Structures are given as C-alpha cells and as structure tokens.
Amino acid sequence: AIAFTFASTVNAQSAIIGAEPFTINLPAGYERTIGTNDFASVQWGNEETESYGFVITENLDELKAGNVSDNLESYMDISIENYSSNPKFKSFASKLYKNKKGRETLQKQISYYNEELESTIYLQFNIFKSKNFIYQVVNFGDEDFLEKSKENTDYIVNNIDLPQ
C-alpha cells in the first residue's frame, strides 16, 4: 500500500501533454494519403498537379527537454538540415508573416536533386506554434510546383485550425 501511494504521488507531480487536435481543410482535388513521411501526423496529395504535403508536430516541452530551441528560425534550420546534404541543394530566403488567422508563420522554400527519382524536388516549409506545439507544414512537388500550387499551399496553411 505504501508503494502504491508513493507511486501515485510521484506520478501526480508531472503531466505530459500529448498530441493536440487540429483540423486541415484541403483544397479541391487533394486527398489524404500515407507513405510520404514516417513522422507526419497527416499527409495529403493531388495526383493531377503532382503536389503533396504533410504536417509534423512536436511538443514544445519536449524540445526544451532536449535543449532544442523553439524559435521559428532555429526550428526551420533543423527542419531543412535533413535535405541540405542532398545534391544541388538550394535554399531561398525565409519570409516571416502573419497568416489570415493572425498566426506568425515562417516560410522557406528549398530544392534538391533526388537521385532515386532523377529529378529536382521543390519544397515549401511553413513553421508556426500553438500554445504547446510547434508545427512544420511541408508542401512539395516538381519544378512547376511552386508556381502551380501557390494558391493551394496558401489555402492549406491558412486553413489549419488549432486549439485555442
């Protein structure tokens, strides 16, 4: 009984916040998919425009516990680091703005050569925070992706509903 009481007391002293519910409204022609990214919470694609995307969330407390900055610029650097060793990697200037819902968002576009596909992949990252999580929204496609899908990627980023 003493061990149970001690364990209950110890467990009651810390709380871990798990994933939070969020909603993404996708533009017409986009569908939920799987297999794009193993760490993604949700993934989507549009076969007609050959554009795809996903969301990765990380708990801000866990980032702090791992001594990882939750600063948008620092988190962006970590996010694109996985791609920077690829051939013909290019990184374009970041843009900090407020989306239509007033959420501060850092956006960056990169490209790299994928040897397996024998083509260049173009990605757009959008990083923003809620009270407890940092979100990485990544949209990607072929060389025409940034031009063809700008309206759709903007729609996705502006239509993510986070908890208050």
Side-chain angles (χ1 to χ4, degrees):
I2 293 174
F4 177 73
T5 304
F6 177 72
S8 296
T9 304
V10 171
N11 290 338
Q13 293 179 359
S14 65
I16 298 174
I17 297 172
E20 62 186 1
F22 63 92
T23 304
I24 298 177
N25 293 311
L26 298 174
Y30 282 77
E31 295 179 349
R32 186 170 186 170
T33 63
I34 59 171
T36 302
N37 186 292
D38 293 339
F39 300 105
S41 301
V42 294
Q43 303 169 51
W44 55 84
N46 181 325
E47 294 296 323
E48 185 179 316
T49 62
E50 295 182 8
S51 57
Y52 308 91
F54 57 87
V55 175
I56 294 175
T57 60
E58 293 197 68
N59 184 294
L60 294 173
D61 290 336
E62 289 179 9
L63 290 178
K64 288 177 191 168
N67 293 321
V68 176
S69 173
D70 67 353
N71 170 282
L72 295 179
E73 290 84 6
S74 297
Y75 192 80
M76 179 69 78
D77 291 342
I78 291 167
S79 298
I80 67 168
E81 189 175 294
N82 294 331
Y83 302 94
S84 63
S85 63
N86 286 311
K88 300 180 185 175
F89 173 80
K90 290 182 186 172
S91 177
F92 305 93
S94 297
K95 175 178 111 176
L96 185 63
Y97 69 98
K98 290 199 178 194
N99 74 1
K100 290 182 180 176
K101 295 183 179 187
R103 186 179 310 113
E104 187 172 82
T105 303
L106 184 65
Q107 184 179 89
K108 185 174 197 73
Q109 296 171 345
I110 68 166
S111 66
Y112 71 93
Y113 185 76
N114 183 308
E115 291 177 341
E116 184 179 319
L117 298 175
E118 297 181 352
S119 69
T120 300
I121 307 295
Y122 293 81
L123 299 97
Q124 179 176 292
F125 289 79
N126 287 278
I127 308 287
F128 51 86
K129 292 191 273 188
S130 68
K131 179 181 176 189
N132 297 308
F133 286 82
I134 193 162
Y135 286 76
Q136 178 185 148
V137 179
V138 182
N139 288 285
F140 64 95
D142 63 12
E143 62 189 276
D144 296 331
F145 158 73
L146 296 174
E147 230 174 79
K148 290 189 308 189
S149 300
K150 180 176 179 5
E151 187 176 317
N152 290 331
T153 56
D154 288 349
Y155 180 90
I156 291 168
V157 170
N158 283 305
N159 285 288
I160 295 178
D161 292 323
L162 305 179
Q164 298 299 327

